Amino acid sequence: MATAAGAQELLYQPGEDPRFNWQSYEDFAATHDLQGQSVTISGPWTAEDEVTFRRTFEYFEAATGARVDYAGSDSFEQQIVIDVNSGSPPDIAVFPQPGLARQLAGQGRLTPLADDTADWLRENYAAGDSWVKLVTFAGPDGQEAVYGFPYKIDVKSLVFYSPENFKALGYEIPRTMEALKALTERMADDGVTPWCIALGSGSATGWPATDWVEDLMLRTQPPEVYDQWVAHEIPFDDPRVVEAVNEFGWFAKTDRFVDGGAGGVGWIDHRDSPQGLFSIPPRCMMMHQASFIGSFFPTGTEFGADVDFFYMPPFETKDLGDPVLGAGTTFTIAHDTPVAEAFLEFLRTPIAHEIWMSQTGFLTPLTTANLDAYGDPTLRGMGEILVNATTFRFDASDLMPGAIGAGAFWTAMVDFVAGQSAEDATGTIEATWEALGR
């Protein structure tokens, strides 16, 4: 076994912790001797994420003898375009959204991954076909191939709540959307406010509503319709999209369902909104948000005791499985080398996932990774949602043109909660999208 990063430097000594699949590490090391070689990786991770990634790829270095040179940047998406256009790309580029990777693949700037990547993802990732579709792009000749390897995923389909408040009032976790709506009505009848919903976010005001609508699209329509919506193969004001927006309105536009009343939804800052779960008496009982929202909880908040979460449930009557909305990073090869290909092979091993799972900020749909490797119960709970998903779809607004996903969609949702109809709000977005093509 090679030892570029000495075993004494590793976070865990190989074989010492039964949570980890050390056999996958040993098997990989036995077939990859890359002593003296190196690979360059460019990605979006800085600060703590960079530290945890380094602690993970040190196992690749130790197994192969190769050196990894990682450069993280908050401006990755601008930098990678400069690098590829100047003819000096990194060997591996890690994209925070697949849109730019798709664009660069079409320009011939990325190398298709190994031929068996699609089959591997289908067999080893939960909702595997969803991941294959996410990272399949057309090359410069128009032929589609798998260009990306999804790794490090975020989950958005979460509802946060106070276990203490639920217990005190006799509420149970709803397992269907019908039950969630019934619980919402029961809470309002009991004289408590069910939801904190806040769209305020400075110049990005409106974006929290897009996550609501995207989650509800996946719970009212098949994933193929969601894909058509994202690709503008159906108009934004299609009745199926209008239905999802109106489902969001059922929660957000009913005064007694939301903290501050329906009039407050559009202007209350989403970063202040979580305080409503913890105030005495509570200003709300539930909040739909992504996993990042924990950073806005009061200092000292203990997950599992002070706050917990449940999966945003599907409609029992729709028979659409258990869809999950999320985001995540995608590994690609921008300069093909044997070490770059070996690193992508390393990402297939359970150990490449379990080491990061044991730290912070990492979720994976890899079904062969040991859930016990997660560093805390919160991450494990989110990880279980991911491996139980029947469909995964990337955040739609991040895949749409910027003028739509980070513009018209946001402002239209503010107008919608302020009183505009779903038909008019989505019609405005559609008109903007149509104008982009003129």
Side-chain angles (χ1 to χ4, degrees):
M1 185 184 302
T3 56
Q8 71 280 3
E9 302 170 359
L10 298 174
L11 187 59
Y12 308 97
Q13 293 300 306
E16 76 170 7
D17 191 320
R19 292 179 300 164
F20 304 128
N21 186 335
W22 292 115
Q23 190 60 52
S24 70
Y25 172 80
E26 301 289 347
D27 292 346
F28 182 81
T31 54
H32 294 82
D33 183 357
L34 302 169
Q35 193 73 43
Q37 301 183 56
S38 63
V39 61
T40 57
I41 302 177
S42 177
W45 300 313
T46 61
E48 187 174 12
D49 275 342
E50 178 173 342
V51 171
T52 50
F53 180 47
R54 288 185 179 278
R55 286 175 175 164
T56 303
F57 72 60
E58 284 172 355
Y59 287 85
F60 173 81
E61 295 181 315
T64 65
R67 187 182 75 248
V68 176
D69 295 318
Y70 173 73
S73 171
D74 294 331
S75 304
F76 165 80
E77 289 173 299
Q78 290 76 35
Q79 188 62 48
I80 189 64
V81 172
I82 294 171
D83 290 344
V84 298
N85 287 338
S86 64
S88 56
D91 299 328
I92 292 174
V94 186
F95 290 84
Q97 299 175 15
L100 181 57
R102 179 187 301 277
Q103 177 183 331
L104 294 179
Q107 296 172 356
R109 305 290 193 179
L110 302 179
T111 301
L113 302 188
D115 291 341
D116 68 341
T117 303
D119 288 341
W120 188 91
L121 288 171
R122 289 191 182 96
E123 293 170 5
N124 292 278
Y125 271 20
D129 203 47
S130 298
W131 299 103
V132 174
K133 291 179 179 176
L134 182 67
V135 294
T136 297
F137 310 138
D141 57 359
Q143 295 296 311
E144 290 192 335
V146 173
Y147 281 87
F149 188 93
Y151 178 82
K152 189 179 185 302
I153 308 305
D154 299 314
V155 170
K156 294 194 168 194
S157 303
L158 304 174
V159 177
F160 293 88
Y161 71 102
S162 163
E164 182 179 351
N165 291 339
F166 263 48
K167 182 178 180 180
L169 294 170
Y171 301 143
E172 296 183 354
I173 304 302
R175 304 300 180 192
T176 67
M177 183 60 71
E178 290 87 347
L180 179 61
K181 295 176 84 169
L183 177 61
T184 296
E185 291 179 319
R186 178 185 168 190
M187 288 174 171
D189 291 344
D190 288 346
V192 296
T193 303
W195 293 94
C196 279
I197 303 176
L199 308 190
S201 187
S203 61
T205 291
W207 75 259
T210 67
D211 284 357
W212 267 95
V213 172
E214 290 156 5
D215 249 337
L216 290 165
M217 272 292 289
L218 289 172
R219 284 155 181 76
T220 55
Q221 302 298 329
E224 293 77 15
V225 174
Y226 183 94
D227 296 340
Q228 293 168 351
W229 172 52
V230 171
H232 203 209
E233 294 172 357
I234 61 173
F236 207 110
D237 55 355
D238 184 279
R240 292 164 291 187
V241 183
V242 170
E243 179 186 352
V245 173
N246 274 326
E247 286 289 352
F248 167 57
W250 187 88
F251 293 96
K253 297 178 74 169
T254 305
D255 279 331
R256 68 192 191 114
F257 289 173
V258 285
D259 178 40
V265 171
W267 62 267
I268 296 175
D269 195 293
H270 78 284
R271 289 158 290 200
D272 297 332
S273 186
Q275 305 303 318
L277 290 173
F278 305 100
S279 61
I280 301 175
R283 300 203 314 270
C284 64
M285 304 300 292
M286 298 180 287
M287 182 180 58
H288 172 273
Q289 258 299 357
S291 51
F292 78 89
I293 199 64
S295 60
F296 295 102
F297 290 162
T299 302
T301 296
E302 183 179 349
F303 265 96
D306 301 319
V307 69
D308 210 336
F309 60 87
F310 59 84
Y311 167 65
M312 182 78 159
F315 281 98
E316 185 176 26
T317 53
K318 296 286 188 180
D319 194 24
L320 293 171
D322 295 315
V324 170
L325 178 71
T329 49
T330 301
F331 278 65
T332 66
I333 294 180
H335 178 230
D336 196 8
T337 71
V339 191
E341 292 183 7
F343 195 90
L344 268 293
E345 291 179 38
F346 174 68
L347 297 184
R348 296 185 181 194
T349 65
I351 197 68
H353 297 248
E354 291 165 346
I355 294 297
W356 204 338
M357 289 163 68
S358 73
Q359 302 177 73
T360 60
F362 183 89
L363 300 175
T364 179
L366 180 65
T367 56
T368 56
N370 183 4
L371 290 169
D372 291 340
Y374 279 114
D376 62 63
T378 301
L379 284 174
R380 179 184 174 123
M382 295 177 184
E384 288 177 343
I385 290 173
L386 197 53
V387 296
N388 289 326
T390 57
T391 298
F392 179 89
R393 283 297 183 271
F394 205 88
D395 184 296
S397 59
D398 286 344
L399 298 176
M400 295 173 178
I404 304 302
F409 197 176
W410 294 353
T411 54
M413 289 302 95
V414 174
D415 292 339
F416 172 66
V417 297
Q420 197 172 60
S421 70
E423 288 81 359
D424 288 346
T426 56
T428 299
I429 303 170
E430 176 59 21
T432 303
W433 206 333
E434 288 179 354
L436 294 178
R438 294 173 188 160

